[in-house]
Amino acid sequence: MGKIAVIGSCSTDFTVQSSQIPAQGETVLGEHLSIDFGGKGANQAIAAARLGGNVKMIGAVGDDDFGQKILANFKRHHIDISDMQMVPGPSGSAHITLYDNDNRIIVVPSANHHITFPSEAALEKQLQDVDFVVLQQEINLNINEQVIHYCAAHEIPVLLNPAPATQLDPELIHQVTYLTPNEAERELIFPNQTLSESLAAHPNKLIVTLGDQGAIYHNGMTECFIPSFKTQPLDTTGAGDTFNGALVVGLINGLSLADGIKQANLAASLSVQKLGAQGGIPTLEELQAAEAQL
């Protein structure tokens, strides 16, 4: 299998389950606290690795205990961390409230905003053995731009998951191979277009995830809706990251875009049945068992 490089954020997730969301100035009692590994980049790398991918993680952690634990977690998943950076200060963190089968998240980037590629030669060295690059937007966006320009010049496929969403330079959209926003993110990126207009303008590139409904793209002739697999969610945190990691593994294994999205939908449906952004990510064996029951 080709090698996947995930360039992005690593963090520790502090998740509180609550039956009540506090109003301004109000204190309420939570029901459960969990401390888990997270960060969109790390989640997508773990998802790809658990599903059989050959994965390299490129990112930054702080020189604190959390940073050491994040690196150890990658090692347990047999992820190449030879190009991970350690910087002075705290590692990234996310603070998640689970309420009524949904989540609210505050991300504190910390070390994640200190990823650097001091030169194109340094970037080339880190990507010389890579066949597919995965990006998100919890790191400085100029790093993403640098990577996308390099990959476009060297014909390395790139999947950009534009979350958290920002407006994107049309040239960046042109250069990425796949763009995977959810519907709210799509509206921010393409503010003057309907969903159908956006899809038609970016065939086989723009894949819009629709939560528990599934995902949709345009194949150059017609819109293709790939439905989700219905389940009762326990924690939706990380479902989108599982989708993206699974999609890349499917594509690098030679699946068609439609079949890759179907596989990614199934992996995401399994991920929401357990707590934690990474806690629910299925293994290849679990995914294959679920496929056998379809």
Side-chain angles (χ1 to χ4, degrees):
M1 176 190 288
K3 192 162 194 175
I4 301 164
V6 180
I7 304 174
S9 58
C10 315
S11 71
T12 304
D13 289 352
F14 300 87
T15 304
V16 173
Q17 287 180 279
S18 177
S19 60
Q20 183 179 356
I21 293 294
Q24 183 174 352
E26 181 183 18
T27 299
V28 301
L29 293 178
E31 298 167 355
H32 179 74
L33 168 68
S34 62
I35 302 174
D36 305 290
F37 299 106
K40 284 190 166 298
N43 295 343
Q44 292 176 18
I46 295 294
R50 284 191 187 168
L51 294 170
N54 177 15
V55 182
K56 167 189 280 193
M57 183 69 204
I58 301 174
V61 295
D63 57 355
D64 55 7
D65 288 342
F66 292 115
Q68 294 291 346
K69 291 175 181 178
I70 289 168
L71 295 178
N73 184 49
F74 287 138
K75 289 181 181 179
R76 281 194 296 272
H77 286 87
H78 308 290
I79 291 173
D80 179 353
I81 59 170
S82 58
D83 290 315
M84 284 292 295
Q85 302 167 20
M86 180 171 286
V87 300
S91 299
S93 61
H95 306 264
I96 304 162
T97 301
L98 298 181
Y99 167 74
D100 194 25
N101 293 325
D102 206 349
N103 59 62
R104 302 182 184 199
I105 306 173
I106 298 175
V107 173
V108 184
S110 298
N112 292 305
H113 272 186
H114 296 282
I115 301 172
T116 59
F117 298 110
S119 66
E120 182 164 318
L123 181 57
E124 181 176 12
K125 181 180 179 182
Q126 296 190 27
L127 297 183
Q128 63 184 350
D129 61 344
V130 165
D131 301 287
F132 210 120
V133 170
V134 181
L135 299 168
Q136 325 76 36
Q137 298 194 149
E138 287 182 340
I139 62 176
N140 282 334
L141 298 186
N142 63 326
I143 294 295
N144 279 356
E145 292 174 5
Q146 186 179 356
V147 172
I148 290 168
H149 293 326
Y150 176 87
C151 289
H154 293 81
E155 299 183 337
I156 302 172
V158 174
L159 182 149
L160 172 61
N161 175 221
T166 60
Q167 292 193 344
L168 296 176
D169 185 331
E171 180 61 19
L172 283 183
I173 296 174
H174 172 72
Q175 290 183 332
V176 301
T177 316
Y178 302 102
L179 185 69
T180 60
N182 62 27
E183 176 59 357
E185 292 157 355
R186 183 208 66 83
E187 290 178 355
L188 180 61
I189 296 167
F190 304 105
N192 300 315
Q193 296 180 355
T194 66
L195 173 60
S196 291
E197 289 170 342
S198 300
L199 293 170
H202 303 89
N204 297 305
K205 177 192 296 280
L206 179 61
I207 304 159
V208 180
T209 56
L210 305 172
D212 62 2
Q213 299 302 304
I216 190 168
Y217 73 104
H218 197 288
N219 67 5
M221 295 180 291
T222 187
E223 288 183 9
C224 301
F225 171 67
I226 312 296
S228 65
F229 296 84
K230 300 303 179 184
T231 187
Q232 182 60 43
L234 176 63
D235 180 5
T236 59
T237 309
D241 296 331
T242 301
F243 175 93
N244 283 281
L247 176 59
V248 170
V249 170
L251 293 172
I252 208 167
N253 279 336
L255 292 183
S256 68
L257 185 55
D259 287 342
I261 294 172
K262 181 179 179 181
Q263 176 177 280
N265 280 346
L266 180 58
S269 75
L270 295 173
S271 75
V272 302
Q273 298 178 42
K274 298 178 184 178
L275 287 175
Q278 294 181 17
I281 297 173
T283 63
L284 179 59
E285 292 73 21
E286 290 170 335
L287 183 67
Q288 290 173 336
E291 288 175 331
Q293 295 177 7
L294 296 179

